[in-house]
Amino acid sequence: MLDYVDLEADLDAEERLIRDTAREFVEEEVKPVIADHYEAGTFPTELIAKMGELGFYGPTLEAQGLPGVSETAYGLLMQELEAGDSGIRSMASVQGALVMYPIAEYGSPAQRERWLPALEDGEAVGCFGLTEPEHGSNPAAMETTAEPARDGDGYVLDGEKTWITNAPIADVAVVWAREQSDGEIRGFLVETDREGVSTLHIEDKLSMRASVSGRIELQNVSVPAENRLPGVSGMKGPLSCLTQARYGIAWGAVGAARDCFETARTYATDREQFGGPIARFQLQQENLAEMATQITTSQLLAHRLAALKQRGDLRPQQVSMAKRNNVRMAREQARVAREMLGGNGITTDYPPMRHLANMETVYTYEGTHDIHSLILGEDLTGIAAFD
Ligand code: TGC
Ligand code: FAD
């Protein structure tokens, strides 16, 4: 596997073990089935519990007996899972960074006790409802409301969330809504079997096909007061979760690109044209040299982020830079790998086209490439250019 500047040498025993466990899982459980799931537009749901058993959900957290592994170990995990498919990494990202993280960070002791062990094991599935049909890049304009219940105990939620990963298979949704009493954004844990909650599949995707996406409709949904996340209010709540997930994506994208590189390198040495392997042509070697260089520099950025995050110095804008750079890199290099495979490259027999199609989603979700440009632009100039 490509590790051109020997980053392996700096890993400790636990980091190697977690990386190797995830790599083996992808080789044995994901690669044999993922192309069929991609074609069928299904997620391999039988892997959800297995991923829980292997400790893939929320492993950097420490609440409720969670193991608190290093940020590098978590990054390597995301890298290996996305080498399998972005849908597999998304499953772990949503469960850990977008559902377990807010419960661990902002939840009550009762909420932690109720949900964290079940989510860790994969016994329960969570989803994160921020995006709405009319408010994607600007979630602060959300229209979903939380009104105090008439009897004074709890809230009534109304609104619609869309493009929510795992919504149709989730047991619990972290729903972000505007509390009517003070206009603040707050998070609510909404069990998906509550009266008034409907989850609907989004079926017609041409990207991220091995992942479940859906809508959540909330019509007059009563939730008790104890389902509100007590520890946060304002956009900082959802945006801080996004920082966790974007960190994982910055690593994951490197894994997808590496899988494309390894496929292209093997193909180029095996495939013969004009009397010998295509790898002997300078044009193909230039492709491989550029791909290896881009992947290596993205890996270095991800490793640096891990060190900053581990010591508590990571700023969200630095995560934006890495998400923006590494996903663009993976999208470009997946296309080059696809091209190097000629006609065979457009099939599901090889992974580059699948990774390339997935990268269209990854480029867009968790803040589009444009939004991360603007976050960096504001950080570099002091002038916000969103409006
Ligand atoms: P702004 O006024 O800038 O900030 C409000 C408060 O939040 C704090 N903050 C952050 N904290 C942690 N991490 C971040 N990334 C943060 N960004 C801001 C900020 O310090 C402030 O705190 P305080 O204490 O002063 O109140 O917020 P804004 O509403 O103006 O934000 C603007 C903008 C455009 C940057 C933001 O809305 C944004 O990032 N938009 C992109 C939307 C997005 O990324 N959506 C993702 C939906 S979830 C998803 O895609 C899941 S995919 C899952 C999968 O399958 O893997
Ligand atoms: P829009 O915000 O409408 O943007 C459209 C275009 O306009 C983009 O190119 C954008 O970059 C550009 N644009 C917008 N504003 C500006 C600006 N100020 N300046 C310049 N250009 C701008 N959301 C969740 O809450 N939970 C999930 O689990 C989740 N999972 C997802 C899974 C998939 C498969 C997909 C595709 C999306 C998912 N999302 C999820 C939603 C995702 O986060 C949004 O799609 C994303 O934030 C962009 O919002 P939008 O699609 O409404 O695009």
Side-chain angles (χ1 to χ4, degrees):
M1 293 285 172
L2 184 71
D3 178 15
Y4 206 71
V5 295
D6 197 14
L7 292 161
E8 164 103 20
D10 295 335
L11 304 182
D12 67 24
E14 185 179 60
E15 289 161 353
R16 282 169 204 230
L17 178 66
I18 290 171
R19 192 266 323 264
D20 291 345
T21 304
R23 193 173 281 180
E24 197 180 310
F25 166 79
V26 165
E27 285 300 323
E28 289 179 4
E29 310 273 355
V30 176
K31 287 195 174 171
V33 301
I34 199 66
D36 286 346
H37 277 285
Y38 202 86
E39 283 187 46
T42 52
F43 182 81
T45 45
E46 66 281 3
L47 298 184
I48 293 174
K50 177 92 189 183
M51 289 169 73
E53 261 170 51
L54 292 172
F56 291 171
Y57 303 134
T60 54
L61 302 172
E62 289 176 354
Q64 216 64 39
L66 284 156
V69 305
S70 75
E71 296 295 345
T72 300
Y74 179 73
L76 291 165
L77 169 62
M78 296 296 118
Q79 183 177 276
E80 296 308 320
L81 295 182
E82 198 143 2
D85 192 83
S86 300
I88 304 290
R89 196 268 308 137
S90 263
M91 173 71 218
S93 281
V94 170
Q95 186 92 338
L98 296 180
V99 180
M100 293 169 72
Y101 172 82
I103 295 172
E105 197 71 12
Y106 307 126
S108 65
Q111 290 168 347
R112 289 189 202 129
E113 202 178 316
R114 164 69 186 91
W115 288 110
L116 289 182
L119 291 162
E120 180 191 11
D121 290 351
E123 242 172 65
V125 172
C127 68
F128 180 86
L130 180 63
T131 304
E132 299 185 352
E134 303 304 328
H135 309 287
S137 293
N138 184 22
M142 72 177 68
E143 294 169 53
T144 300
T145 55
E147 296 254 20
R150 287 224 176 88
D151 61 9
D153 179 26
Y155 297 88
V156 177
L157 301 185
D158 276 290
E160 188 178 345
K161 300 288 177 180
T162 193
W163 282 119
I164 308 306
T165 299
N166 283 347
I169 58 166
D171 300 284
V172 63
V174 175
V175 171
W176 299 94
R178 191 177 304 284
E179 197 169 326
Q180 292 304 82
S181 55
D182 58 5
E184 284 286 4
I185 305 300
R186 290 205 168 79
F188 296 84
L189 301 180
V190 180
E191 298 87 347
T192 51
D193 57 3
R194 272 189 187 276
E195 205 179 329
V197 179
S198 323
T199 56
L200 306 134
H201 263 105
I202 296 176
E203 306 271 8
D204 48 1
K205 291 180 299 179
L206 295 175
S207 163
M208 200 63 103
R209 286 183 56 75
S211 174
V212 180
S213 313
R215 300 207 305 272
I216 308 177
E217 289 176 3
L218 302 150
Q219 288 178 331
N220 225 8
V221 179
S222 293
V223 292
E226 61 262 26
N227 280 28
R228 191 182 83 164
L229 293 173
V232 75
S233 66
M235 281 306 291
K236 184 168 175 280
L239 293 178
S240 62
C241 302
L242 296 185
T243 293
Q244 308 304 312
R246 290 167 178 172
Y247 170 79
I249 290 173
W251 277 87
V254 174
R258 192 196 64 198
D259 192 50
C260 292
F261 170 80
E262 295 297 353
T263 305
R265 173 160 65 174
T266 304
Y267 193 88
T269 48
D270 290 350
R271 172 76 176 168
E272 297 198 354
Q273 288 296 294
F274 298 98
I278 60 170
R280 78 189 192 285
F281 297 128
Q282 291 177 9
L283 289 174
Q284 302 306 324
Q285 291 188 5
E286 154 72 11
N287 281 340
L288 291 171
E290 186 60 22
M291 217 184 281
T293 306
Q294 294 297 332
I295 292 167
T296 300
T297 51
S298 297
Q299 268 171 339
L300 284 166
L301 184 54
H303 276 265
R304 177 64 185 158
L305 241 54
L308 291 172
K309 196 164 191 290
Q310 193 67 44
R311 63 178 205 225
D313 287 338
L314 185 63
R315 296 191 303 121
Q317 293 84 352
Q318 293 164 330
V319 179
S320 284
M321 180 181 277
K323 192 272 182 184
R324 178 180 180 279
N325 181 73
N326 292 8
V327 175
R328 177 178 58 187
M329 180 282 296
R331 187 196 199 206
E332 286 171 358
Q333 300 314 321
R335 194 193 53 72
V336 174
R338 201 297 301 152
E339 184 185 325
M340 287 178 68
L341 270 61
N344 290 331
I346 70 157
T347 68
T348 50
D349 291 344
Y350 295 90
M353 184 80 195
R354 176 167 52 77
H355 285 306
L356 173 57
N358 283 338
M359 280 305 135
E360 291 300 319
T361 286
V362 183
Y363 195 81
T364 290
Y365 72 19
E366 293 283 359
T368 66
H369 186 83
D370 296 333
I371 288 299
H372 290 295
S373 301
L374 298 183
I375 290 171
L376 289 173
E378 180 180 12
D379 198 41
L380 295 168
T381 65
I383 304 167
F386 298 104
D387 300 327

